[in-house]
Amino acid sequence: MGACKGCSQFFLVLVNIIFSLIGIALLVVGCIVRWGNEFMNNLLQDSYSKLTNALKDAGVDSNLNAFNIADFVGDATLAFIILGAFFFVLGILGCVGACCQVKCMLVIYVIFLVILLLVEVTFIILIFAVRSEVDSWIKKPFKTAIQKEYKGINATDSISIAINFVSVEFKCCGVENSGDFNSSTLWRHETNVANPVIPAICCKNKTESEISDCVQYPDDNNSYRNKGCYEAIESWLTDNQNVMIGVGAAVLAVELLLMIFSLIVCKTNRKKDDYDEY
């Protein structure tokens, strides 16, 4: 039993040190992006250059000098900070609780793990049980961004650059199809065409002469008008589902092992306390 307890403590300490480091990393990144965006933009300058070159190769001439990472991720930085704090506290509870054999800390640690596991299982069940509702909930903010903030193929704002990049990378148009752009007016002055039907980013070939024809008379040969980005990303995820299932199963297995090892340490401590009292 002593060997089992020792292995349990070692595993708990090792994994929870990693949790703490992940938590610190998320906290630092979240805080820097939210309140130190100038430092982050300088740090990511090489990445911006590579993204600019990738977009130019695809026929999109976007200047990322005005790109601001904080504007792009928005409130997602709060998610990083909250997740970072959670992982850091979780790691400290597990590490100190296992190393110093503090029963109350291990009990709280197991409760956190159970809550985390239940959230993950609930999320997985919801994806399959109410798939259409989940799809609609995910699509809605992206459709809103297209309709209210997309400014065209050469725009330099964060939202437009993100939409252009995804459209080029996945060879798609809109969230569901080109119809998502119909109620938007900001992109309609991106070319010299008077009444464009689709934005230039949805065209397969992005030379000036071909774009003029494509935005006026789009079809399946010259555009991606019927291929939505949501479907394209979903197909990519399906193609890589074995990897994601493997990662998810490994995460769940580690969480279960952490709970089991925590209970082993608690139980051996209880037996030791009972023996000391006796």
Side-chain angles (χ1 to χ4, degrees):
M1 196 68 177
C4 185
K5 177 185 174 183
C7 291
S8 299
Q9 284 180 290
F10 175 78
F11 183 80
L12 284 168
V13 171
L14 179 64
V15 172
N16 284 289
I17 286 174
I18 296 172
F19 278 174
S20 296
L21 292 175
I22 291 172
I24 292 170
L26 290 172
L27 276 169
V28 170
V29 170
C31 290
I32 289 176
V33 172
R34 191 167 183 82
W35 294 293
N37 50 34
E38 185 176 344
F39 170 78
M40 203 67 185
N41 286 330
N42 291 332
L43 191 66
L44 295 175
Q45 200 60 49
D46 289 341
S47 298
Y48 293 164
S49 299
K50 290 178 182 178
L51 178 57
T52 300
N53 293 333
L55 290 171
K56 282 184 179 178
D57 290 340
V60 181
D61 187 18
S62 288
N63 185 350
L64 298 183
N65 289 334
F67 184 78
N68 190 316
I69 187 68
D71 293 338
F72 178 66
V73 297
D75 290 336
T77 52
L78 285 177
F80 272 74
I81 293 170
I82 293 169
L83 276 175
F86 175 78
F87 275 107
F88 179 73
V89 171
L90 188 68
I92 293 298
L93 282 172
C95 190
V96 175
C99 189
C100 302
Q101 301 179 32
V102 182
K103 185 179 177 180
C104 64
M105 293 184 74
L106 287 175
V107 170
I108 295 171
Y109 177 73
V110 171
I111 292 171
F112 277 173
L113 285 176
V114 170
I115 293 171
L116 184 61
L117 188 63
L118 288 174
V119 169
E120 292 168 351
V121 171
T122 303
F123 178 73
I124 293 170
I125 292 172
L126 285 174
I127 286 177
F128 292 101
V130 287
R131 180 62 184 272
S132 58
E133 287 80 358
V134 172
D135 287 343
S136 299
W137 179 73
I138 295 173
K139 288 176 183 178
K140 186 176 180 180
F142 293 105
K143 285 186 176 184
T144 302
I146 286 175
Q147 293 164 2
K148 294 184 177 180
E149 300 185 57
Y150 182 66
K151 297 177 182 176
I153 194 169
N154 295 319
T156 59
D157 64 288
S158 303
I159 298 298
S160 299
I161 289 171
I163 292 171
N164 288 338
F165 178 75
V166 171
S167 300
V168 168
E169 185 69 20
F170 291 95
K171 295 180 172 60
C172 56
C173 180
V175 177
E176 293 185 290
N177 51 50
S178 60
D180 295 323
F181 292 94
N182 289 346
S183 59
S184 175
T185 57
L186 296 175
W187 60 271
R188 295 185 184 276
H189 303 291
E190 63 181 351
T191 63
N192 295 324
V193 177
N195 296 302
V197 177
I198 64 171
I201 196 65
C202 294
C203 296
K204 291 183 178 180
N205 298 306
K206 295 180 175 63
T207 59
E208 188 173 348
S209 58
E210 290 171 314
I211 282 179
S212 296
D213 182 61
C214 169
V215 298
Q216 281 183 301
Y217 311 106
D219 56 41
D220 292 340
N221 293 320
N222 63 12
S223 71
Y224 302 109
R225 62 175 184 168
N226 291 319
K227 183 183 178 183
C229 291
Y230 189 85
E231 180 187 349
I233 295 172
E234 197 173 40
S235 297
W236 180 85
L237 291 173
T238 301
D239 292 339
N240 295 277
Q241 65 179 350
N242 291 336
V243 175
M244 290 186 291
I245 289 172
V247 171
V251 170
L252 291 175
V254 169
E255 289 174 356
L256 287 171
L257 285 173
L258 288 171
M259 283 189 275
I260 292 168
F261 289 151
S262 297
L263 293 173
I264 288 173
V265 174
C266 285
K267 189 173 182 180
T268 52
N269 282 346
R270 181 179 177 182
K271 285 185 177 181
K272 181 179 179 298
D273 292 340
D274 291 344
Y275 177 79
D276 290 341
E277 288 176 8
Y278 179 75

